[in-house]
Amino acid sequence: MPAQASEAQETEETLAKENQVDMRTEETRAPTSPHKKSWLVRHFSLLLRRDRQAQKAGQLFSGLLALNVVFLGGAFICSMIFNNVAVTLGDVWILLAVLKALSLLWLLYYTAGTTRQPHAVLYRDPHAGPIWVRGSLVLFGSCTICLNVFRVGYDVSHVHCKSQLELIFPVIEIVFISVQTWVLWKHCKDCIQIQTNFTRCGLMLTLATNLLLWLLAVTNDSMHNEIEAELSALMEKLSGNDTNSCLCLNVTMCEVFRKGYLMLYPFSTEYCLICCAMLFVMWKNVGRRLAPHAGAHPGTLPFHLHGAIFGPLLGLLVLVAGVCIFVLFQIQASGPAIARQYFTIYYAFYAAALPAMSLACLAGTAIHGLEERELDTFKNPTRSLDVVLLMGAALGQMGISYFSIVAIVATRPHQLLNRLILAYSLLLILQHMAQNLFIIEGLHRRPLWEATPEGRAGKWEAEPPHRGSLLELGQDLRRASLAYIHSYSHFNWKRRALKEISLFLILCNITLWMMPAFGIHPEFENGLEKNFYGYRTWFTIVNFGLPLGVFYRMHSVGGLVEVYLGA
């Protein structure tokens, strides 16, 4: 028995020593085993690195292409402005016609060739091209087509004293706008995976073409000068001094074409800005691979008032007042001149509406700071672009306001109308800053119906799903999400206040979008800044800032709708 016990003890000691030796060998091999087993990982990481470098190179090359096209077109347009003898408007039109033809060929090839190849569009960005952006694209595109139709009609009525070649350029633009609108509506969410470099170059060429069209619309006042010259020549003819033979053959039709062209002119610049934004998002999405959970659009709640009363009522009051002022201005604009009291009514309306909007935005920003909702810190290119567009578009009206402030302070700041314009300019700057804070803070809050990804990941790690239990897991997740919505979707005072504020601001921004978009431009018609800066300078300033201001109001409505739904 002692011998057997000693043998058993010796065998246990030898087994323990063998285990220790095995553990030491595993510890010594542990640092080197990844180097021996990770050749496949290193190979794939090398391929990913090369793919990332190729993507960066493609973005750089296409960006440089767009930069050179914009500089070339900008040089043509500036030469036309400062030396219209050597470089005429016709030369600029020829350059833009060539760019539109090239962009049109690429758009047709992208739709008929690239997107129809296998594995071309494996992913679609759910955040790109929301319905309000695509709706605005169709609206402004239709208005721009009507603008060119009016331009063709106006040129046809003056065909006896104009070159027939001028009729070609509006027709080319009509075809270009129609095809571009259709392609952007259909493919704005695409994450293309083949022919990536060619697609990037095509997108950047089309973006540069739209940017040059916007720049020409901002700086070119030839049509406006032509209309004013014809009106003055018509007045001279009626007074007995026939000094101009290039008059319209049909006065009634020319009046329709003239009014339609002047009213729809800002829509062309709006359309170019929207196309640039959508093309930039498509360019960023070229070669992008989305995560599996990002392939489907996160569920959003339908738009309901949810008992909101005061916000819609106050917003409707502002909307009704704005419509009344808009009708008065349109009636006055049909006459020879706008009376001074109508400018006073217009600026008094703004002086009453803008402080209310600013206070609502500040209150909403303060409520955001008191909320329990988490900040959404995940990378979202569409949201980042929304923030950049919101901040950039605000510079338009803010720039006009600063120019107005300088002109008023330097001339006659003590008159009633000038005081109202001064107050309007200052309040407009403050309202833009307050509204940007409120919208950006709301866009970065996680909506209540979206569960936290970290929480979901932690739950999956804590309770790994067993095989064959996917259906049960889906039912559990559905019950958990319903319980989350039931627990946190009750209306406390913060959520109700945010919804009231959002609805009030939505209606106010619709009102302030409608008035300048459909032909009310008191900044140009009151004569104060135009006399101070000169016609040409102030025309460029207004045409640069006014479309950005209209775009800002439209973009703010979309952002406020998302803030409302997220609350």
Side-chain angles (χ1 to χ4, degrees), residues 233-243:
L234 186 62
M235 296 300 294
E236 291 180 0
K237 183 179 180 180
L238 292 176
S239 62
N241 299 324
D242 191 3
T243 59

Side-chain angles (χ1 to χ4, degrees), residues 317-329:
L317 287 177
V318 175
L319 181 62
V320 170
V323 169
C324 294
I325 294 172
F326 173 77
V327 172
L328 287 174
F329 246 84

Side-chain angles (χ1 to χ4, degrees), residues 293 375-381 383-384 444 446 452-454:
H293 63 82
L375 288 174
D376 190 356
T377 57
F378 287 93
K379 186 178 180 181
N380 188 339
R383 183 179 60 196
S384 302
H444 283 83
R446 190 179 301 281
T452 309
E454 291 89 344

Side-chain angles (χ1 to χ4, degrees), residues 100-101 103-112 137 141 145 171-187 206 271 275 279:
K100 282 184 275 192
S103 301
L104 192 60
L105 290 175
W106 176 82
L107 289 169
L108 293 174
Y109 174 78
Y110 177 80
T111 305
L137 175 77
I145 291 174
V171 174
I172 294 175
E173 188 161 353
I174 288 173
V175 177
F176 171 72
I177 290 170
S178 302
V179 174
Q180 180 177 246
T181 304
W182 174 65
V183 172
L184 289 180
W185 174 275
K186 189 177 180 181
H187 298 285
T206 313
Y271 176 77
C275 288
L279 289 165

Side-chain angles (χ1 to χ4, degrees), residues 351-368:
L354 291 175
M357 295 175 66
S358 301
L359 290 175
C361 292
L362 293 175
T365 306
I367 293 172
H368 276 313

Side-chain angles (χ1 to χ4, degrees), residues 192-474:
I192 202 75
Q193 303 295 324
I194 63 171
Q195 301 179 0
T196 53
N197 289 332
F198 184 66
T199 303
R200 287 191 186 99
C201 291
L203 287 168
M204 281 290 106
L205 177 64
T206 313
L207 190 149
T209 304
N210 283 278
L211 199 59
L212 290 175
L213 288 173
W214 171 78
L215 183 61
L216 181 64
V218 165
T219 56
N220 180 31
D221 59 347
S222 61
M223 186 68 178
H224 296 77
N225 289 333
E226 186 177 336
I227 290 174
E228 288 189 2
E230 183 180 1
L231 289 175
S232 61
L234 186 62
M235 296 300 294
E236 291 180 0
K237 183 179 180 180
L238 292 176
S239 62
N241 299 324
D242 191 3
T243 59
N244 193 344
S245 60
C246 187
L247 293 176
C248 185
L249 299 176
N250 191 329
V251 178
T252 305
M253 292 302 298
C254 275
E255 182 69 20
V256 174
F257 294 144
R258 188 185 304 118
K259 288 290 183 183
Y261 182 87
L262 293 177
M263 187 178 72
L264 296 177
Y265 190 77
F267 287 99
S268 63
T269 52
E270 294 297 323
Y271 176 77
C272 294
L273 290 174
I274 292 177
C275 288
C276 288
M278 297 181 73
L279 289 165
F280 181 77
V281 172
M282 289 181 67
W283 179 75
K284 292 287 287 184
N285 282 333
V286 171
R288 184 183 175 199
R289 297 177 179 87
L290 300 179
H293 63 82
H297 195 283
T300 56
L301 299 177
F303 191 92
H304 295 302
L305 291 180
H306 291 296
I309 299 174
F310 298 104
L313 283 179
L314 293 176
L316 284 174
L317 287 177
V318 175
L319 181 62
V320 170
V323 169
C324 294
I325 294 172
F326 173 77
V327 172
L328 287 174
F329 246 84
Q330 290 290 55
I331 293 173
Q332 284 293 309
S334 60
I338 300 177
R340 197 174 182 84
Q341 63 264 26
Y342 290 99
F343 288 110
T344 304
I345 294 173
Y346 174 86
Y347 287 113
F349 165 74
Y350 268 85
L354 291 175
M357 295 175 66
S358 301
L359 290 175
C361 292
L362 293 175
T365 306
I367 293 172
H368 276 313
L370 299 175
E371 275 194 300
E372 301 89 357
R373 285 188 295 162
E374 298 179 3
L375 288 174
D376 190 356
T377 57
F378 287 93
K379 186 178 180 181
N380 188 339
T382 307
R383 183 179 60 196
S384 302
L385 181 63
D386 286 340
V387 173
V388 171
L389 290 176
L390 198 68
M391 300 292 289
L395 299 178
Q397 280 286 359
M398 291 174 70
I400 293 178
S401 299
Y402 279 116
F403 278 104
S404 298
I405 290 170
V406 173
I408 292 168
V409 173
T411 52
R412 299 178 297 274
H414 301 295
Q415 297 181 3
L416 175 62
L417 180 59
N418 293 349
R419 287 180 179 177
L420 285 174
I421 296 175
L422 182 62
Y424 157 80
S425 302
L426 293 172
L427 290 171
L428 196 66
I429 294 170
L430 294 175
Q431 193 273 328
H432 276 71
M433 292 191 293
Q435 184 165 278
N436 284 348
L437 285 174
F438 175 67
I439 295 176
I440 293 172
E441 184 73 18
L443 290 178
H444 283 83
R445 294 284 175 174
R446 190 179 301 281
L448 283 173
W449 62 84
E450 287 188 9
T452 309
E454 291 89 344
R456 290 191 302 236
K459 182 177 179 180
W460 292 339
E461 290 174 2
E463 299 177 6
H466 300 286
R467 293 181 180 178
S469 63
L470 290 178
L471 182 60
E472 296 176 1
L473 178 63

